[in-house]
Amino acid sequence: MSQSRLIGIVALVTWLLVALPALLYHLPAGFMDWRWTAICAGFAVLFALDLRHPHLLLLGLASAAALGLVLLRCNGYEGALLALIAMQLGRRVSRTLGISWILGQTLLLAIADATTFSVRSAELLLPPYLALQLVAFFVFDALSGEAAARETLAVRNAELRGVSQILADSSRMTERLRISQELHDALGHHLTALSLNLEAALQLTQGAAHASVATAQDLARRLLTDVREIVAESRARDGVNIADALHTLIDAVPRPKIHIDVPAGLRTSDPERAHTLLRCAQEVVTNAARHSEASNLWIKVRCEGDTLRVEARDDGRGSARTDGGFGIRGMRERIAQAGGELHVATRPGQGFEVTALLPARGGTT
């Protein structure tokens, strides 16, 4: 279960436990303060909006709504709503800011309770609700740190698996190249010498022997041609399998759900280019999981002439800035060093789109 879903369930239960006692107590008596009811509903709306579109302003308004409930008519339970705010703060702000926020809203809670009831009441409510908020904050702070560590570990593990795939392909390519070269140099040399000797023998023979030598020379030439074709075909099949490397990278990533569109036989004979492409895909996955909070990520790779084109987009929250953080800047620099281009398009609420154009030095197949 994701943290957002867990917080949503806890928030709903807590809100009902705060609202229902007031409703059950006042409805039979025929008296209902509609201002209290409206603010209570407003808190629920603000909190739900913050879950879907996280923003500290929404949390601040929700906190103000909870304090407004205390000022209107404190039933002793409204402080639990502030613990929900603390849960969200634990996921999103530093410990210094979070604790300062909690101390501030707890002080306002004490002032509101003292205003509505008495200083004695505020003294009794202040310690337990402060402790409840701090516990909620540190629990979700720890959960967020653990989740971030798990995601980082999963991405690093996937990266290592992808790089190992590239290294394995590169090693096989090197060995095939060596064998092909040996085959061409050794066998090709001897076949050429055999053909030349048969050519000389052809000049010295007549009759049936002449025909047999001519046949042997033709076979030697055909065999030499076959050797050259086999060597050329072996070199053409060499290269890093981009599809396998990318699938190895994404298979170990738990979130977001990744939809990959890469031709099964797409290869590049340059391991360095394959590594650059893999790093690019890794940064896109990291951005979608950690920063964009996307549920889905689509990655498409195509070979256009001598250029590898990588297109990626997610359904996350997007951003008003296209320059990105350190990850995007690092990816832009890496692709620029390889002679390529990187284009980023994003808007708030519309996810991220990244297009990378990478020259396929050494060719692709």
Side-chain angles (χ1 to χ4, degrees), residues 103-287:
L103 291 176
Q105 68 183 13
T106 303
L107 177 61
L108 292 175
L109 172 66
I111 294 172
D113 187 65
T115 302
T116 305
F117 285 92
S118 65
V119 174
R120 180 60 179 167
S121 174
E123 291 175 349
L124 292 174
L125 284 178
L126 184 65
Y129 278 130
L130 176 59
L132 180 62
Q133 292 176 77
L134 290 175
V135 168
F137 176 81
F138 281 109
V139 166
F140 277 87
D141 176 69
L143 287 175
S144 297
E146 182 183 350
R150 284 199 306 269
E151 288 180 0
T152 301
L153 182 61
V155 171
R156 294 292 179 264
N157 179 56
E159 178 193 352
L160 288 175
R161 293 176 61 190
V163 171
S164 68
Q165 178 73 35
I166 293 176
L167 291 175
D169 282 348
S170 179
S171 298
R172 284 193 295 267
M173 185 171 61
T174 301
E175 183 63 17
R176 286 175 184 170
L177 182 61
R178 186 189 66 81
I179 294 173
S180 298
Q181 193 66 45
E182 290 290 335
L183 181 64
H184 180 271
D185 292 346
L187 190 55
H189 170 75
H190 292 304
L191 287 173
T192 300
L194 176 61
S195 180
L196 292 174
N197 280 279
L198 289 173
E199 177 70 28
L202 193 62
Q203 305 299 323
L204 301 175
T205 56
Q206 296 180 354
H210 182 86
S212 296
V213 172
T215 300
Q217 184 188 34
D218 182 60
L219 290 173
R221 286 174 176 172
R222 290 184 182 182
L223 184 56
L224 181 59
T225 301
D226 289 344
V227 169
R228 288 171 176 168
E229 288 179 354
I230 290 171
V231 171
E233 184 179 351
S234 176
R235 289 177 176 174
R237 288 199 305 266
D238 281 338
V240 177
N241 191 313
I242 294 176
D244 287 350
L246 286 176
H247 280 292
T248 302
L249 171 68
I250 68 174
D251 285 346
V253 178
R255 185 177 63 86
K257 184 177 181 181
I258 303 176
H259 313 269
I260 189 165
D261 180 9
V262 184
L266 183 61
R267 292 175 176 269
T268 177
S269 57
D270 183 4
E272 183 180 345
R273 288 293 183 268
H275 188 233
T276 300
L277 188 149
L278 192 70
R279 286 284 192 175
C280 176
Q282 175 208 346
E283 182 54 42
V284 166
V285 172
T286 301
N287 182 73

Side-chain angles (χ1 to χ4, degrees), residues 11 34-35 45 96 192 219 254 266 277 281 335 345 352:
W34 294 107
R35 295 175 302 167
V45 171
T96 301
T192 300
L219 290 173
L266 183 61
L277 188 149
I335 291 177
F352 258 84

